[in-house]
Amino acid sequence: MRGVFCTKDLTSGIDGKPASVLDRLSRIMPGSDIFCMDQVHSDRIVLADEAAPQDVPQADGIISRNPDHVLCVRTADCVPVLLWANDMPLNAAVHAGWRGLALRIVAKCVRMMRSLGAEDIRAAIGPSIGPCCYVVGRDVADALGAEPRINGSGSLVVDLRAVARSQLTGAGLEEDAIESRGPCTACRTDRYFSYRRQGQLAGRNVSLIGGKSWSLPGLQVG
Ligand SMILES: [Zn+2]
């Protein structure tokens, strides 16, 4: 196992800000080097190897060549994507909302992992808002280049996870190298946080890869 998409068994009670998540994780995994980001819906991806664990770099993707580094993304409807290489020690975590996906952050992360020497790259797409609940305007659908779909109520919806998957396959990953895990966050607020359902009161879903992160409660991947 490499990583985990944590459920509320772990995330309940945190406010979702980097300091709060770091504090919770540091107590659960004492002595681990844990990397959280100040996520800004960009396509910026940083190397954890060049940062100190408590730095909180402004970025939406983080890559590490150290398998003991615990990489963290926080989401509440946005898509968490965990990536790893089978042929070398290399892990990555990406926060992909519609803005990040429009900037093609997932494809960019695969390219960066390749530039670091990885060839056999695997990915897991985590719990995030599904097309059942993600009603958007035409501007968002256009920015994503997504196939527009109309739901039963006549609203435009998009499937963010399908967009993330298409960036992975477009970057050369085989379909069987991609896991998709978990339900729609807006449908399952008993297990996950959803900004669409809970607004400012929503905490954050925590997705982790590296170190012993896979042993935490949630959906294990890798
Ligand atoms: Zn839903």
Side-chain angles (χ1 to χ4, degrees):
M1 290 288 118
R2 306 280 184 129
V4 63
F5 298 112
C6 296
T7 51
K8 278 186 173 174
D9 297 318
L10 181 122
T11 56
S12 198
I14 54 170
D15 68 14
K17 295 206 170 61
S20 171
V21 174
L22 273 172
D23 183 60
R24 173 72 57 92
L25 293 174
S26 302
R27 275 188 276 120
I28 297 170
M29 294 185 286
S32 298
D33 288 339
I34 302 162
F35 293 83
C36 278
M37 296 176 282
D38 175 14
Q39 299 168 184
V40 289
H41 296 280
S42 70
D43 65 345
R44 181 155 190 257
I45 300 170
V46 295
L47 274 181
D49 316 41
E50 294 169 354
Q54 309 290 328
D55 266 2
V56 192
Q58 197 171 82
D60 289 275
I62 187 160
I63 298 176
S64 178
R65 287 172 286 211
N66 183 340
D68 294 328
H69 282 168
V70 176
L71 311 179
C72 173
V73 287
R74 298 168 295 111
T75 57
D77 291 338
C78 290
V79 185
V81 184
L82 302 176
L83 303 101
W84 62 95
N86 268 346
D87 51 350
M88 64 181 291
L90 195 66
N91 291 329
V94 175
H95 162 247
W98 75 263
R99 289 185 182 84
L101 287 168
L103 294 166
R104 302 190 58 77
I105 189 171
V106 176
K108 183 177 176 181
C109 187
V110 173
R111 283 201 306 276
M112 283 181 69
M113 291 174 76
R114 289 237 166 79
S115 74
L116 292 166
E119 289 179 7
D120 185 4
I121 298 171
R122 308 282 162 139
I125 300 169
S128 36
I129 195 164
C132 40
C133 297
Y134 195 45
V135 174
V136 297
R138 174 67 63 177
D139 55 333
V140 172
D142 287 349
L144 287 167
E147 196 64 40
R149 290 162 60 176
I150 306 295
N151 71 7
S153 312
S155 301
L156 194 63
V157 294
V158 293
D159 186 343
L160 290 178
R161 282 198 268 198
V163 176
R165 177 178 280 272
S166 74
Q167 289 187 20
L168 292 167
T169 55
L173 269 67
E174 300 289 340
E175 286 285 352
D176 65 5
I178 306 167
E179 301 176 35
S180 193
R181 303 296 307 273
C184 163
T185 44
C187 286
R188 290 300 304 272
T189 51
D190 57 321
R191 305 292 284 156
Y192 302 98
F193 292 106
S194 167
Y195 192 81
R196 279 275 173 124
R197 284 281 178 273
Q198 301 160 304
Q200 301 289 349
L201 295 176
R204 291 294 180 273
N205 304 312
V206 172
S207 304
L208 304 164
I209 189 165
K212 293 278 196 296
S213 61
W214 55 269
S215 62
L216 299 177
L219 305 166
Q220 280 80 15
V221 298

